[in-house]
Amino acid sequence: MDALASALASQFPESAGLSIQRVESAGTVVAPFRVGVELVARLPLVPSDSDAVRKSVRREQEYAAVLADHLRVAIPRPRGIGEPFEGYPGIWSVWTWLPGRSLDRLPMAQDRRLARDLAELVGTIHALPTGGRSWNGEGRGGTPLADTPWVRESIERSAHLIDPRKATAVWERALAACPHRGAAVRIHGDPMPGNFLVNDGRLTGMVDVAPPAFGDPAADLQPAWVLFEEPARSVFLSATGLDEFAQERGRGWAFEMAIGGAHYYEHTNAVFFQQAMRTLERLLEQ
């Protein structure tokens, strides 16, 4: 923490002397640190100072401005890119802090108003122009849903947690669904509860801005099982306007995330593990 404070003071002088607090998160890519009242430092869990990482962070910051102009919810504003410092050999970034409570900390699984809010948000992203860009491999949905050894091995490695026969049936049912037809659309790519904020029961913020992703809109249906229970699940799915085949692929994207995360983070990330297990329970009970 002292090294980060020194780096902030030297690279972002306006933050000198401000308090720094690690923010508990289910995230598996970035460690967030609240800086004072108005800022947050985001440090990738796997540090790198490569040109590719620097370019990716710049794309995230540019994309944040695009989303801020189109979404009704608040989007963090970039404050700059941090350089490697003692004890941390990678690129990092500083953003504005958004008020609100994280969805992964709230019991809103049956909230139909939230379901409509979230469906509206992903629908707005899907409607943004693509500039003719196609599948780009960014985020879940940036490539077509497909069978992988990782999913099959994850089912086997999770046999002490879930019924592997039911899990296999869920996966194969999703794989059998008709693929996305037509051009790729702009997608969120990682609509996990920890990426969204709520104030007074309404969706008000999106905190994790990744580089723009293009692909299958079905990938953004993950909240139907990661977050919601009935009747909110049906409200969310209906409000997105996506067909039954997309819903089946959405179940597959949710399953892929959960089955891999359950065994991988069982002993290292309690928040993500519990979220993955709830998701699997919802998927396997249908």
Side-chain angles (χ1 to χ4, degrees):
M1 203 76 75
D2 289 343
L4 176 57
S6 296
L8 282 162
S10 62
Q11 299 182 38
F12 301 88
E14 70 278 13
S15 67
L18 297 179
S19 61
I20 302 176
Q21 181 180 3
R22 175 74 180 263
V23 180
E24 185 180 3
S25 169
T28 59
V29 178
V30 170
F33 294 82
R34 189 170 186 180
V35 181
V37 176
E38 299 181 349
L39 300 174
V40 58
R42 292 166 50 85
L43 278 65
L45 293 172
V46 180
S48 171
D49 64 350
S50 69
D51 290 341
V53 169
R54 191 181 298 274
K55 180 179 179 180
S56 178
V57 174
R58 287 190 181 127
R59 289 171 61 210
E60 289 175 2
Q61 297 191 342
E62 292 167 357
Y63 191 38
V66 173
L67 292 176
D69 288 340
H70 290 89
L71 301 183
R72 293 186 181 182
V73 301
I75 303 296
R77 298 287 184 162
R79 286 293 180 262
I81 298 176
E83 299 295 330
F85 57 88
E86 182 180 356
Y88 189 81
I91 300 299
W92 48 291
S93 56
V94 176
W95 302 72
T96 55
W97 175 268
L98 297 182
R101 299 185 65 189
S102 175
L103 266 183
D104 63 3
R105 297 291 189 274
L106 297 173
M108 301 186 72
Q110 298 180 350
D111 193 307
R112 285 173 283 187
R113 186 171 63 171
L114 173 64
R116 285 188 286 269
D117 283 351
L118 194 53
E120 178 186 358
L121 183 147
V122 298
T124 300
I125 294 175
H126 295 171
L128 292 177
T130 65
R133 283 170 286 190
S134 187
W135 305 78
N136 69 346
E138 299 280 355
R140 287 187 176 87
T143 57
L145 184 69
D147 206 357
T148 65
W150 168 249
V151 172
R152 298 290 181 173
E153 292 169 6
S154 293
I155 292 173
E156 294 179 6
R157 294 175 65 179
S158 301
H160 64 295
L161 300 171
I162 48 89
D163 184 332
R165 290 177 299 177
K166 288 184 178 181
T168 299
V170 167
W171 180 235
E172 293 183 346
R173 176 178 162 182
L175 293 173
C178 291
H180 174 63
R181 304 294 188 186
V185 304
R186 192 180 291 258
I187 60 176
H188 183 287
D190 191 27
M192 301 296 286
N195 291 337
F196 301 102
L197 298 175
V198 173
N199 280 289
D200 297 325
R202 301 305 300 268
L203 187 69
T204 58
M206 187 172 82
V207 298
D208 188 10
V209 179
F214 304 90
D216 184 359
D220 288 343
L221 297 184
Q222 291 178 74
W225 301 274
V226 178
L227 178 61
F228 294 120
E229 297 175 357
E230 294 294 359
R233 178 182 301 128
S234 292
V235 170
F236 172 77
L237 290 171
S238 177
T240 65
L242 296 176
D243 63 28
E244 61 183 22
F245 299 117
Q247 293 180 23
E248 284 298 333
R249 296 195 308 275
R251 293 177 84 238
W253 288 114
F255 178 80
E256 182 196 53
M257 175 280 302
I259 197 66
H263 71 84
Y264 190 83
Y265 293 108
E266 182 176 3
H267 304 294
T268 58
N269 188 328
V271 176
F272 193 97
F273 171 71
Q274 292 166 7
Q275 179 177 272
M277 289 303 300
R278 285 195 299 270
T279 302
L280 290 170
E281 289 170 3
R282 292 164 181 157
L283 289 166
L284 270 59
E285 72 184 7
Q286 291 187 309

